[in-house]
Amino acid sequence: IELSGVPVFDATSGEFSGVRGTAVDITERHQFEQKLQKARDDAENVNRHRSTFLHTLADEIRAPLEIIFQTSRKLDSTPEADDLARHMVDIQKAGDRLEHLASEILYLARLESGQMEFAMEPIAPTAIVDECLLDVEPLAQERNVRILGVHQWDGSIAVDRHQFKQVLLNLITNGIKYNRVGGQLTIATSREDPRRYRLCVTDEGASIPEHSHEDLFQPFSHLRRPDNNGETGLGLAITKQLVEGMHGHIGCSPDTHEGSTFWVEFPAESRID
């Protein structure tokens, strides 16, 4: 309410007798101003992320290109056959990295623009989890990570089977890569709300500060990214877009101990307890 008024005095005695004024309901104007401010904040946030994205993208492209240029210059010195083979391998790796980066950027752009179509169908999620665990078993053995599966959930969810499996593979693979040597990875289903299916992937690697959790899902996030492993830093950003495209949610839960817990959640189509 916006108030305005002027004091009123008695014409004979000059004594103060009150205030004459108006009261205006400005609720709608106030709500409009709040929405306008939010729009400004969102626009600034988008511009900030876009600027960071472009600068990081330039760095990501520059690194493999520099390898290609440096190695190409070495070839001019007519190296021995063994050196030539090694240089060609370096060029091939750098080229593959650029190609992978370009593919993931285009894939992320399709997701963000809403051009990706999802073939939604009811599925039993625990069956997909079991498939994923078989797929990542060689990597877990290579990294000496033990996987503990506590993910029994009797029911179904409506998702795109292929994309849902890709989401789980991304999270489980990350949980193995960023785990400590000889660590444990736990795949667990939450039973707190029978109306929703939530799967949690908990590793024993370095913990992530809670204030940085939102940045994890930004393109080229370096919060959980080992150096020199050829990754683009787009994995979690793509995973988030896939989850939200299937009407789900994704997040990272704060941990009081070493390790991190990533979770995905979808509405339950049916549930048998």
Side-chain angles (χ1 to χ4, degrees), residues 135-147 173 176-177 179-183 229:
D135 291 343
V136 302
E137 187 175 350
L139 179 63
Q141 292 178 352
E142 177 186 336
R143 301 297 181 96
N144 193 25
V145 172
R146 185 168 67 94
I147 298 180
T173 301
I176 296 173
K177 289 181 179 179
N179 219 313
R180 64 179 178 84
V181 177
N229 68 343

Side-chain angles (χ1 to χ4, degrees), residues 183-221:
Q184 177 175 287
L185 183 71
T186 304
I187 317 295
T189 302
S190 171
R191 293 180 175 272
E192 294 179 4
D193 187 349
R195 298 168 300 178
R196 305 190 68 81
Y197 169 78
R198 173 178 284 206
L199 187 78
C200 302
V201 180
T202 303
D203 62 62
E204 294 182 343
S207 60
I208 304 171
E210 185 174 356
H211 63 82
S212 301
H213 285 182
E214 288 189 7
D215 294 335
L216 279 168
F217 302 99
Q218 295 299 326
F220 299 118
S221 172

Side-chain angles (χ1 to χ4, degrees), residues 61-74 87 89-95 97 228:
I61 294 175
R62 186 181 295 114
L65 281 178
E66 186 63 28
I67 293 175
I68 292 174
F69 293 147
Q70 289 181 357
T71 308
S72 298
R73 286 192 289 268
K74 293 177 182 178
H87 293 330
V89 169
D90 291 339
I91 290 176
Q92 183 64 48
K93 287 182 178 179
R97 181 177 176 184
N228 302 320

